[in-house]
């Protein structure tokens, strides 16, 4: 491969949760997740996640009872994620 395929269309790309998590797993396996996140933050890159997806994740953790055994799960379930949450002192996003 000489260069990556770079997306050129005007519309944003839609990935399934499986695709996103597969990408994150790949970064972890390559031991470059932290470097990737630091570089992305320096560029000011964010990912917009629909509220339905966030609420599904919260309900999944809650229904499975993870809030009873994990303080991280409890933080996600009990607070917002995003700018308003950061202003209130809540978690800035995934831990």
């Amino acid at each position: 491969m000489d260069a990556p395929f770079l997306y050129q269309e005007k519309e944003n790309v839609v990935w399934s949760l499986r695709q996103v998590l597969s990408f994150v797993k790949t970064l972890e396996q390559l031991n470059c997740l932290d470097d990737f996140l630091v570089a992305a933050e320096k560029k000011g890159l964010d990912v917009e996640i629909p509220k339905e997806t966030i609420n599904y994740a919260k309900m999944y953790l809650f229904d499975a009872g993870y809030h009873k055994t994990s303080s991280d799960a409890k933080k996600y379930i009990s607070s917002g994620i995003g700018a308003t949450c950061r202003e209130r002192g809540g978690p800035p996003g995934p831990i």
Side-chain angles (χ1 to χ4, degrees):
M1 179 183 307
D2 295 328
F5 170 80
L6 299 178
Y7 189 74
Q8 301 294 325
E9 301 298 322
K10 292 180 182 180
E11 300 84 27
N12 290 333
V13 177
V14 176
W15 278 10
S16 68
L17 284 174
R18 183 178 300 278
Q19 289 171 300
V20 171
L21 294 177
S22 177
F23 177 68
V24 171
K25 280 183 177 181
T26 298
L27 293 174
E28 285 180 326
Q29 290 168 352
L30 295 170
N31 293 317
C32 67
L33 179 58
D34 289 337
D35 292 339
F36 175 84
L37 293 174
V38 167
E41 286 173 1
K42 284 181 181 176
K43 287 188 167 282
L45 300 177
D46 289 316
V47 176
E48 187 172 316
I49 303 173
K51 66 179 180 254
E52 294 83 6
T53 304
I54 296 295
N55 289 337
Y56 172 78
K58 289 173 172 258
M59 288 304 301
Y60 178 86
L61 293 172
F62 182 81
D63 289 344
Y66 289 117
H67 61 292
K68 297 175 185 175
T69 59
S70 166
S71 61
D72 289 341
K74 189 173 183 175
K75 286 179 195 175
Y76 285 112
I77 294 167
S78 64
S79 66
I81 295 176
T84 5
C85 180
R86 280 190 284 254
E87 291 164 7
R88 288 193 324 252
I95 296 171

